[in-house]
Each structure stands twice: as C-alpha cells, then as structure tokens.
Amino acid sequence: MSERGRDYVLCVGMFAAALAVMYAVVRVAGIPSSVYEGYFPYADAMMHHVVPYTEDVHVYGGMHEWEYPPLAYPFLLVPRLFAATAGGYEAAFMVMVGAFFAAGLWCMEIFAGAMGRGRLRWMLVYTALMLLMVEFVGDRYDIIPVVLTMLSAALLVRGRTGMAFAALAAAALTKLYPAVLLPILLIWLLSKGERGRALTGAAVFVAATLAMLAPFYALGADPLEFLSYHTDRPLEVESLASSVIAALSLLGLTEIDVEFSYGSDNLVGPLPDAVGPFVLPTMVALTAFSYVVFAHVLCRRRPEGFDHADLASGCLLAVLIFVAFGTVFSGQYMMWPVPFLLLFLMANEGTEAGGRMQWLFLAAVILTDVCFGVNFGMRGEGEDLSAAGILVILARNVLMLAMAWLALGRIRRGAPGVGPEEPAEEPNA
C-alpha cells in the first residue's frame, strides 16, 4: 500500500471505530437519536410514496412538518434503501457519514497541496476535530453540507469554477448556511479580475438550484416551505441572544421560561419575546457588513495581489456570523465553520492569529460538548436551565464572537503568503 493509502486508512479507521462505538452505545443504552427518531420516519414516509412537503409525518413522537431544506431528503432516503428497520437504518446512515468523512479527507488533501502544506498533518487535524464532535457528526446529517462546502472550496482553488458553484448550490439546498458563502466567493473572484469566472459561477449556482428544485415542484410540493418554518421559530436556548438574556435572568434583571417547540428548547418571556423578532434582521445586517468589509479590503489591496488566505478569512467570518447571530445554535452547528477554519489555520500557520483561532475553536468545541451533557443529557425537554448550563452556553458564544472578531481583523490586515496561487496538482483518485 502506498503512503497516501496508509494515510487514508489511518484516518478513516479511527473515525469508523468511533462511529462503531457510538452505534453500540446508542443501541444498547437506548439513548435518544435524531437518526432513529427523526430521519428514519422521514425516509420511511418517502419509501411509502409520500412526497416531501405534501403532508405531515409522525416524527419525534408527534406529527411534524418537513423542516429540512429539499436536498436533505434524498440524502436521508439513501440509508433507507438498504435497511427497513430503524436500527438498520441507523447503521446504514453511519456508513454514509463515513463515506462523506472520507470525501472530506480528499478535500483536505487538495487544500494542503494548494497551500504547500503537509497532507497527513492536516488530514489528522480534520479527523481530530470530527472525533471531538462525533456525537453530532454521527447523529446528524450536517457532515453532508459541510463536505459539499469543502468540495466547493477545493474545486474553486483548483480552477473548476462551474463544478465548485454547483457543489455550493447542492450544499445550500441541503443546509441553508452555505448560501451565505456565495457573495464571498464572487467578491473574491471579481477582486482578482476574474469576471468571467464570477459570472459563470453565479449562473451555474442559479441554474443548479433551479434544476434541483424542479423535481419537487413537478411532484406538487413546495420545496421552499421549510423557510417559513425556520423564520417563525423563537429563540433557541443556545443562541447568542438567549445566552445573554438567560445570564441577565441569573442576575434577577429579567424573567424567563423554557418551552419545547419546533424540536428544540426555546426561551420565552417578556424580554426574549421582544428581542426575538430583531435577531434574524441583525444577523442579515451583520452578514451584509462582512461582505462590504471583504469587498473594500480586497479592492484596496488589488495591487498587492491575492491568496487563498483571503478566501479562508472571508468565508470563515460569514459562517461564524451566521452561526453566532442566528435564532438557533444547535451543537452540530460547530461543524459548519470547520472547512474554512482549517483553511484559515493553514494560511496562518505559525502566526499569532493562527494560534489564537486554533485554541478559541478547540475551547468552543469542548464547551459545546459540555453543554450537550449538562443541558440535554441531564435535563428533560422544556425544563429550566441550570446556572451552570447557562454559563457554559454564554462562555461558548463569547468564544464564537472572539473568533469572528479575529477573522475580521485578519481580513483587514491581510495574511502572509501561503503558497502557490495556481491550482495545485490533483491527487490521484
């Protein structure tokens, strides 16, 4: 076996072992599972000819709307094609997760080559991060849009513009957040003077989106129905706004309650109800601000040229704003910044900014794991949060703000050269 093959076997083997242990623990201990209680009923309904968005499904113990973006459902259907029971479905789902994890390793190899970095080291870093979040990686489908986003970035740095934007469209229709990256990618290309690539990318993104939505409309479904479901949601307890309000309640400055709805624990009360309607517009405004800053800085630096560090910092900032300032901040969202966090760390290897970002994210992931245990493993749905649980969430969210500030500062100051601007040589398949 070649050295490259051994690298893949090492990383995939560690991840597969972790998934196997997780599956055994979940099945033997009867631990609640999103795959078992949520994804399987949707997939089973599709197997019985129910078209997504046309009728409610019995999910998580009650009748439920189709809450996910349209392309999520074909992916959720795949494991059901190989297993008719919920237990078998969960095993097949984890096999699919492992396949996407392996595709992410290939993307890491592309990134490392483009930036002149060692392959194995960064493949191991990617593996370590996924293992730290394995309870979310193995029990949520978020690794699919994460890897599709990684694939989009990898194809872009290799000069495969059309394929890159088609992958981004697929990612955005699987989980909405990758859509915030579209303006960043277009700004990056335009600032490099590559108007043709930018126009091609925008056209392919729109065409691919319409092509993937068309089958749902043809079957009489409204694939954009999920948008109203999420815009109507109250403040989820892990969101930044909720964590600040909950901390104020500890000081006796406001009163809050927790209620379970929309499949999550949410904060209600006079202040949460008053603040809630302004959270989404604030996130949109801050995201737009990040685009303006990114465009201004890149245009100002036009004579000095550009590198992949600009792309990494801009994308990382946009994703961090989307995650930190949304109305919902579930633990699995910590996977979303990973592709551009790793690009950022590669671009800033050996610098103070790179070191700080690395430790901030690691601490945020650990706090997210602690939050998962304290706020969900040790309390029931709709129960009040403990003081410890509130402080853990607040600390994690402060770290996310610090990461966003650091990414913004890196955009404004620029980054050191990180290797060839030309597309890297493609690894052998």
Side-chain angles (χ1 to χ4, degrees):
M1 182 181 294
S2 66
E3 180 182 355
R4 179 170 177 261
R6 288 194 295 271
D7 294 345
Y8 274 85
V9 168
L10 173 64
C11 295
V12 173
M14 289 190 294
F15 187 72
L19 287 183
V21 171
M22 178 179 172
Y23 178 81
V25 171
V26 168
R27 300 304 301 160
V28 171
I31 297 174
S33 164
S34 293
V35 176
Y36 185 95
E37 299 179 41
Y39 301 165
F40 176 73
Y42 282 128
D44 198 52
M46 287 185 281
M47 284 294 289
H48 289 85
H49 312 294
V50 176
V51 177
Y53 311 110
T54 58
E55 61 181 81
D56 290 351
V57 176
H58 193 271
V59 179
Y60 295 114
M63 299 306 293
H64 209 272
E65 299 176 46
W66 296 73
E67 63 177 289
Y68 304 123
L71 207 61
Y73 294 108
F75 286 117
L76 297 185
L77 178 61
V78 170
R80 177 62 180 83
L81 300 176
F82 301 94
T85 66
Y89 177 88
E90 192 162 17
F93 181 87
M94 288 191 175
V95 172
M96 182 174 69
V97 165
F100 274 92
F101 169 82
L105 288 174
W106 183 83
C107 294
M108 287 306 304
E109 188 175 4
I110 295 291
F111 293 158
M115 293 198 172
R117 303 302 190 219
R119 175 187 64 229
L120 178 58
R121 176 183 177 185
W122 289 99
M123 289 169 68
L124 288 172
V125 172
Y126 163 73
T127 301
L129 288 178
M130 290 302 177
L131 289 176
L132 280 173
M133 297 182 277
V134 70
E135 71 272 29
F136 301 116
V137 179
D139 195 48
R140 307 290 193 277
Y141 78 86
D142 293 68
I143 193 173
I144 298 173
V146 165
V147 171
L148 288 174
T149 305
M150 291 178 73
L151 178 62
S152 176
L155 291 168
L156 189 67
V157 300
R158 284 191 46 76
R160 307 289 182 84
T161 306
M163 295 175 64
F165 281 88
L168 184 65
L173 289 178
T174 304
K175 202 83 172 182
L176 187 59
Y177 82 91
V180 303
L181 301 173
L182 177 63
I184 294 292
L185 301 188
L186 295 177
I187 291 168
W188 186 70
L189 290 172
L190 289 171
S191 66
K192 288 157 60 69
E194 298 180 352
R195 293 182 180 85
R197 290 183 69 193
L199 289 173
T200 298
V204 169
F205 183 90
V206 172
T209 298
L210 293 176
M212 286 182 276
L213 292 178
F216 291 91
Y217 286 114
L219 292 171
D222 179 6
L224 300 183
E225 181 182 297
F226 78 97
L227 290 174
S228 61
Y229 175 89
H230 290 284
T231 54
D232 293 341
R233 294 183 68 168
L235 291 178
E236 190 261 342
V237 294
E238 293 180 86
S239 67
L240 174 63
S242 287
S243 65
V244 173
I245 294 171
L248 293 176
S249 75
L250 291 179
L251 300 175
L253 299 177
T254 188
E255 294 183 0
I256 60 170
D257 288 304
V258 176
E259 70 173 19
F260 186 81
S261 61
Y262 290 86
S264 65
D265 286 314
N266 306 302
L267 217 58
V268 295
L271 188 55
D273 294 345
V275 170
F278 297 97
V279 171
L280 185 57
T282 300
M283 185 269 286
V284 171
L286 289 172
T287 302
F289 171 74
S290 74
Y291 298 154
V292 172
V293 172
F294 189 66
H296 173 72
V297 171
L298 262 62
C299 289
R300 188 182 63 192
R301 292 214 313 270
R302 183 184 296 275
E304 286 77 27
F306 307 90
D307 55 34
H308 299 135
D310 297 312
L311 180 64
S313 299
C315 290
L316 179 60
L317 176 61
V319 174
L320 287 172
I321 288 173
F322 190 91
V323 172
F325 289 93
T327 55
V328 179
F329 187 169
S330 298
Q332 67 267 24
Y333 292 8
M334 290 301 295
M335 281 188 270
W336 297 0
V338 165
F340 302 104
L341 170 80
L342 293 171
L343 275 170
F344 183 95
L345 295 180
M346 286 185 190
N348 295 277
E349 188 174 20
T351 67
E352 185 177 358
R356 286 180 178 177
M357 186 67 77
Q358 170 185 307
W359 291 111
L360 284 171
F361 187 76
L362 181 61
V365 169
I366 292 172
L367 285 174
T368 300
D369 288 337
V370 173
C371 172
F372 186 67
V374 172
N375 289 314
F376 300 99
M378 298 181 181
R379 53 178 286 278
E381 295 173 347
E383 292 183 4
D384 290 339
L385 297 168
S386 66
I390 291 172
L391 294 176
V392 167
I393 296 172
L394 180 64
R396 190 274 310 279
N397 290 343
V398 168
L399 293 179
M400 298 297 287
L401 292 179
M403 290 173 61
W405 183 257
L406 184 57
L408 176 62
R410 205 36 150 171
I411 290 171
R412 296 180 59 194
R413 292 190 300 273
V418 294
E421 182 62 20
E422 302 80 14
E425 181 181 353
E426 185 175 3
N428 295 325

